[in-house]
Amino acid sequence: MRLAKGLGLVRGARPLLGTFLRPRAAVAAAPARSQALVYEQHGEPARVLQLKDLERAELGHSGVHVKMLAAPINPADINMIQGTYALLPVLPAVGGNEGVGQVVEVGSHVTSLKPGDWVIPADAELGTWRTDAVFSEETLMKLPRDIPLLCAATLSVNPCTAYRMLADFETLGPGDSIIQNAANSGVGQAVIQIAAALGIKTINVIRDRPNLQEVVDRLTSLGADHVITEEMLRKPEMKDLFKKVPKPRLALNCVGGKSTTEMLRHIQQKGTMVTYGGMAKQPLTVPVSAFIFKDVKLRGFWMTQWKKDQTQNKDSLTGMILTLCDLIHKGQLTAPACTQVPLKDYRIALEASMKPFISSKQVLTM
Ligand SMILES: NC(=O)c1ccc[n+]([C@@H]2O[C@H](COP(=O)([O-])OP(=O)(O)OC[C@H]3O[C@@H](n4cnc5c(N)ncnc54)[C@H](OP(=O)(O)O)[C@@H]3O)[C@@H](O)[C@H]2O)c1
């Protein structure tokens, strides 16, 4: 597999979100109903989210009726509900930005989808935590139906982010290495697998924990070359590791704070650190020497922005998704470790998704 740079994507028009709370039509027939996790104000997700019975929008000529099958809870979904994310929906809104659904019915003007197709959101803000809804065609992307459900439900955010970060910042080839923190995150697991498929070595940093060996074994089974703790990252023994693997040209930072400082110590001359998450909620601390003596580059990445930037290049998102599906078919990319939770038990899933050391993506099933 080769990484394709600069591929573009389908720019999704907003779904028919605004219609879900509209007043009942003054006709005799009872409108179709759906259930959705709705928030009317920002705040702690367990407090502001409610499972509500909603009137479903009519199909019309261009609508696509989708029955949702599974949708994960990602950190960005939580931040969006808390009101701390860079992208905030018009309220009231349905939670969830990612997931997979199956097309039930399409309007007469819909050309790219048919009943039975599996679809994922083409962009953020679809509102995936619901049983079903009518969306507009442009907000959806068709997926091959022969990939596992959990792979499909978790494909559009983390594996795409991992793919782009490996492709767009440094030219990497077999034998090169990268370093990443929060390596057991959804993104981290995708980075390990995509890098392994490309022959790129990975140095994976995780937090120490009681079941450390279990996590190390899991990441190793995904193809991780080296798994170390944040503490080990600071030790002189790191020199021994770099006898086996070249210093990384690319560092992927999901944490911030001290973790960033330590990763930067090990990066190659003129290497790049890409920050895509800030789980420690601490600013980046960059040693002056990294700039002066190594001339490192500090960059950022946001998948949502990448998608917005590709609006004129419809093939780019589709191309990336098909490449990732190809890896799934070949057994080189699997879903992250997941816990499936029925939609009605969403509070349990929300609570687990916000706990440290869980190492399992909570996926709501409908
Ligand atoms: N920029 C983008 O386009 C983009 C795209 C996707 C995701 N993201 C971001 O990437 C991050 C990970 O997302 P995900 O879906 O992969 O998450 P996830 O699967 O829920 O994993 C969360 C990760 O964060 C770690 N973590 C949590 N709190 C931490 C702390 N205080 N210090 C250090 N590590 C901590 C966890 O490690 P433990 O097991 O040690 O708790 C785990 O590895 C999030 O910040 C998300 O918003 C960004």
Side-chain angles (χ1 to χ4, degrees):
M1 184 190 76
R2 285 185 55 225
L3 291 170
K5 278 201 176 195
L7 293 166
L9 124 103
V10 189
R11 167 86 171 93
R14 298 270 66 78
L16 306 178
L17 263 180
T19 56
F20 73 79
L21 290 177
R22 71 195 160 82
R24 282 160 181 270
V27 288
R33 314 291 292 176
S34 308
Q35 283 201 310
L37 284 176
V38 179
Y39 56 111
E40 294 178 356
Q41 59 186 60
H42 293 295
E44 275 319 292
R47 186 174 59 79
V48 296
L49 275 174
Q50 284 184 309
L51 190 56
K52 288 202 166 175
D53 221 13
L54 303 176
E55 180 181 329
R56 200 172 61 230
E58 277 162 27
L59 190 66
H61 289 302
S62 54
V64 181
H65 179 201
V66 176
K67 174 183 156 31
M68 290 307 299
L69 301 173
I73 300 179
N74 289 322
D77 303 327
I78 299 290
N79 298 152
M80 208 179 247
I81 297 166
Q82 290 167 331
T84 57
Y85 200 60
L87 186 71
L88 296 177
V90 175
L91 300 181
V94 175
N97 292 284
E98 194 180 26
V100 63
Q102 184 160 35
V103 175
V104 178
E105 194 182 1
V106 298
S108 55
H109 294 173
V110 173
T111 53
S112 63
L113 297 169
K114 58 177 188 322
D117 284 346
W118 273 17
V119 285
I120 57 172
D123 210 341
E125 287 190 285
L126 196 66
T128 52
W129 298 346
R130 51 172 130 202
T131 52
D132 63 313
V134 171
F135 298 113
S136 57
E137 187 181 6
E138 322 80 73
T139 62
L140 301 167
M141 277 194 71
K142 185 170 159 176
L143 264 200
R145 271 191 59 177
D146 57 355
I147 66 169
L149 182 78
L150 291 175
C151 282
T154 56
L155 187 65
S156 65
V157 178
N158 289 344
C160 293
T161 302
Y163 179 94
R164 294 265 58 102
M165 292 194 299
L166 289 170
D168 294 348
F169 294 90
E170 287 284 344
T171 308
L172 299 167
D176 286 335
S177 80
I178 65 116
I179 188 166
Q180 62 164 343
N181 54 19
N184 61 326
S185 66
V187 177
Q189 292 177 60
V191 165
I192 290 170
Q193 296 177 85
I194 297 169
L198 293 162
I200 297 166
K201 307 276 178 214
T202 56
I203 302 161
N204 299 281
V205 186
I206 57 173
R207 294 197 286 182
D208 199 2
R209 66 198 68 224
N211 66 337
L212 180 64
Q213 194 54 46
E214 197 184 304
V215 179
V216 172
D217 290 346
R218 185 147 56 76
L219 299 186
T220 306
S221 75
L222 293 178
D225 295 283
H226 302 278
V227 185
I228 57 176
T229 61
E230 294 277 356
E231 291 71 28
M232 284 153 75
L233 192 59
R234 288 171 207 141
K235 295 207 166 140
E237 289 80 24
M238 284 297 286
K239 276 203 218 97
D240 299 333
L241 190 150
F242 291 118
K243 287 179 189 152
K244 296 180 227 155
V245 63
K247 288 229 168 192
R249 264 227 301 282
L250 180 68
L252 304 177
N253 172 39
C254 171
V255 176
K258 263 192 175 170
S259 179
T260 322
T261 320
E262 298 303 331
M263 280 210 304
L264 273 172
R265 289 193 205 289
H266 303 298
I267 201 168
Q268 241 185 59
Q269 194 81 13
K270 294 187 187 295
T272 304
M273 173 178 277
V274 181
T275 293
Y276 69 97
M279 295 305 295
K281 296 189 169 40
Q282 286 166 10
L284 311 190
T285 314
V286 182
V288 169
S289 58
F291 279 124
I292 300 178
F293 303 121
K294 280 195 180 165
D295 193 14
V296 296
K297 297 180 279 295
L298 298 187
R299 301 285 307 275
F301 179 77
W302 190 26
M303 194 67 221
T304 304
Q305 188 60 48
W306 182 86
K307 288 181 178 177
K308 284 189 204 309
D309 293 344
Q310 310 294 320
T311 46
Q312 301 307 316
N313 186 358
K314 271 196 159 201
D315 295 338
S316 120
L317 179 62
T318 348
M320 175 170 61
I321 292 287
L322 290 177
T323 304
L324 293 170
C325 287
D326 192 39
L327 288 181
I328 294 169
H329 285 137
K330 288 180 184 153
Q332 292 175 310
L333 179 63
T334 55
C338 290
T339 305
Q340 298 185 56
V341 181
L343 183 67
K344 67 175 173 43
D345 296 330
Y346 68 95
R347 284 178 201 281
I348 298 170
L350 282 173
E351 195 188 330
S353 76
M354 294 170 75
K355 275 194 184 150
F357 309 127
I358 285 287
S359 294
S360 185
K361 179 74 65 192
Q362 306 298 303
V363 179
L364 298 170
T365 51
M366 292 74 175

